[in-house]
């Protein structure tokens, strides 16, 4: 009887092969968008959390970071001519590039080498051409992406459609970890 059962199970498995991996979904990248969400960042020694409002236009970005209670902590504006951060107390700092200012808000970002120029593609699950999609979900969307040593995990999407924007993104490298929960997304 045991041999018969094994034989039946073996035959059944032969008729039900594993499903093929999903075809990759062509992801549209938006040059302009607006998102609102919650973020947390940690470098293994210190951590921060709060809210993020990000408005991206073709050549400019505005990041507004607020405390968990909604008080604006800082606003960073960047464009082709450089970047400036405005703190809640009125203090301003200028830098030739936004990469020099983001670490003010995210501990450990400098040491980890966080590339702000890649963030727009990462939050849209639209991997840059030189990035590697390691795994895809059942709908063909990126589930894990490796980009210049960074691991980007897409833990949840806004809906079930193949084109959906990620809702929960976990970005890490070494001890540095950034988690973003996208509550609102708009593209023109």
């Amino acid at each position: 009887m045991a041999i018969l059962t094994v034989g039946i199970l073996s035959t059944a498995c032969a008729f039900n092969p594993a499903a093929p991996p999903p075809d990759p979904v062509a992801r549209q990248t938006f040059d302009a968008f607006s998102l609102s969400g919650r973020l947390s960042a940690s470098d293994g020694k210190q951590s921060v959390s709060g809210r993020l409002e990000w408005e991206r236009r073709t050549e400019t970005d505005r990041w507004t970071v607020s405390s968990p209670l909604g008080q604006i902590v800082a606003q960073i504006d960047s464009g082709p001519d450089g970047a400036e951060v405005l703190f809640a107390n009125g203090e301003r700092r200028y830098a030739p590039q936004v990469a020099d200012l983001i670490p003010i808000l995210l501990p450990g970002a400098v040491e980890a080498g966080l590339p702000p120029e890649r963030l727009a593609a990462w939050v849209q699950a639209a991997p840059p051409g030189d990035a590697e999609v390691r795994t895809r979900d059942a709908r063909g969307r990126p589930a894990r992406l490796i980009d210049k040593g960074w691991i980007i995990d897409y833990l949840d999407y806004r809906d079930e459609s193949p084109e959906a924007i990620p809702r929960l993104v976990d970005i890490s490298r070494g001890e540095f970890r950034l988690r973003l929960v996208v509550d609102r997304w708009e593209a023109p």
Side-chain angles (χ1 to χ4, degrees):
M1 182 69 168
I3 294 174
L4 180 61
T5 303
V6 170
I8 291 171
L9 289 175
S10 297
T11 304
C13 290
F15 290 117
N16 294 321
D23 290 330
V25 173
R27 307 286 305 174
Q28 179 178 2
T29 304
F30 296 94
D31 290 333
F33 62 81
S34 174
L35 74 76
S36 174
R38 295 163 277 152
L39 65 83
S40 62
S42 173
D43 67 355
K45 298 178 187 115
Q46 50 184 327
S47 62
V48 295
S49 63
R51 297 210 41 88
L52 172 67
E53 301 286 332
W54 183 3
E55 292 182 35
R56 180 175 182 81
R57 299 297 169 245
T58 304
E59 292 190 10
T60 63
D61 287 287
R62 171 173 279 176
W63 290 280
T64 303
V65 179
S66 304
S67 73
L69 298 175
Q71 298 167 322
I72 293 177
V73 175
Q75 180 175 295
I76 297 177
D77 288 300
S78 71
D81 297 329
E84 181 179 58
V85 63
L86 172 62
F87 292 99
N89 65 4
E91 177 189 351
R92 294 179 183 272
R93 288 192 200 165
Y94 173 81
Q97 57 190 4
V98 73
D100 298 327
L101 297 177
I102 286 187
I104 293 170
L105 304 174
L106 302 174
V110 167
E111 294 80 5
L114 182 68
E117 71 280 0
R118 304 283 246 202
L119 290 174
W122 291 353
V123 300
Q124 298 179 64
D130 57 347
E132 177 188 354
V133 177
R134 285 278 174 95
T135 58
R136 295 186 181 278
D137 69 8
R139 289 166 189 79
R141 305 175 295 198
R144 174 168 271 193
L145 172 70
I146 306 295
D147 188 5
K148 298 190 180 284
W150 287 88
I151 300 170
I152 302 92
D153 288 312
Y154 299 99
L155 305 174
D156 191 22
Y157 281 83
R158 294 185 54 84
D159 61 49
E160 298 299 316
S161 70
E163 308 82 22
I165 294 295
R167 192 188 78 72
L168 179 56
V169 182
D170 194 45
I171 300 168
S172 62
R173 183 176 188 183
E175 293 291 316
F176 182 80
R177 181 175 180 186
L178 173 64
R179 179 167 274 194
L180 177 63
V181 179
V182 179
D183 296 320
R184 181 187 54 78
W185 167 271
E186 295 176 7

